[in-house]
């Protein structure tokens, strides 16, 4: 892969990493906030069961999104490591170059379209 292309993908990945870090920071603040702090109540208890359910649901959503963002951040970091090692842009399964259109859409991609389709069909049991 050309040096200019690698620099372009590295910039995309660094931008994505920055966005993910900001999202994780915001979600961490939500997860670290107690119910008492979020409602501004003097006591740590909600007055109504529906309020407790809403608070619990919001915390669960924040945790779910933080978990997904964390996994995506891991894949972005791995792609940056592959750029430094000189293996970026090659499929992990077949070793062929990953199409530029795929890397434009998913710069942290590890597999070419064909191998990714095989992986997905194996997961779902389709062929």
């Amino acid at each position: 892969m050309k040096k200019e292309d690698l620099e372009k993908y590295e910039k995309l990945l660094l931008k994505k990493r920055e966005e993910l870090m900001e999202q994780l920071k915001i979600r961490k603040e939500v997860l670290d906030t107690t119910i008492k702090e979020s409602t501004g109540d003097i006591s740590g208890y909600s007055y109504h069961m529906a309020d407790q359910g809403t608070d619990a649901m919001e915390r669960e959503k924040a945790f779910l999104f933080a978990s997904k963002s964390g996994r995506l951040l891991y894949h972005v970091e791995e792609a940056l490591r592959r750029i430094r090692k000189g293996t970026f842009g090659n499929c992990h399964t077949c070793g062929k170059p990953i199409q530029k259109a795929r890397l434009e859409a998913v710069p942290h991609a590890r597999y070419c379209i064909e191998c990714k389709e095989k992986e997905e069909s194996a997961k779902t049991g389709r062929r």
Side-chain angles (χ1 to χ4, degrees):
M1 187 173 284
K2 295 180 192 174
K3 186 177 178 180
E4 306 87 49
D5 290 337
L6 286 174
E7 289 173 357
K8 177 178 77 171
Y9 294 124
E10 185 176 25
K11 285 180 184 176
L12 284 171
L13 289 163
L14 289 171
K15 181 180 178 196
K16 186 66 176 174
R17 181 175 71 177
E18 189 177 315
E19 291 170 4
L20 289 168
M21 295 293 281
E22 186 62 31
Q23 289 175 7
L24 285 170
K25 179 182 166 192
I26 292 168
R27 291 196 175 101
K28 183 180 181 325
E29 290 171 5
V30 170
L31 290 171
D32 287 346
T33 304
T34 64
I35 292 171
K36 181 179 176 180
E37 292 169 340
S38 67
T39 60
D41 288 342
I42 295 172
S43 75
Y45 301 100
S46 296
Y47 292 110
H48 194 275
M49 286 175 42
D51 292 336
Q52 290 176 340
T54 300
D55 292 342
M57 185 181 76
E58 290 301 318
R59 292 177 66 78
E60 183 68 26
K61 281 192 329 190
F63 178 76
L64 175 68
F65 288 132
S67 177
K68 285 186 176 195
S69 295
R71 279 191 301 249
L72 183 55
L73 180 61
Y74 169 79
H75 289 297
V76 168
E77 292 288 344
E78 286 296 309
L80 288 167
R81 283 189 198 100
R82 289 194 301 274
I83 287 175
R84 288 184 216 107
K85 287 169 65 177
T87 59
F88 180 82
N90 296 325
C91 179
H92 279 217
T93 302
C94 67
K96 295 179 184 174
I98 299 172
Q99 302 84 351
K100 286 187 179 188
R102 176 153 170 74
L103 289 173
E104 293 284 333
V106 185
H108 59 276
R110 297 180 301 160
Y111 303 108
C112 65
I113 291 288
E114 294 82 19
C115 292
K116 186 64 178 176
E117 286 175 348
K118 287 177 189 174
E119 179 192 48
E120 290 296 320
S121 65
K123 284 181 184 177
T124 59
R126 289 184 274 146
R127 292 176 196 233

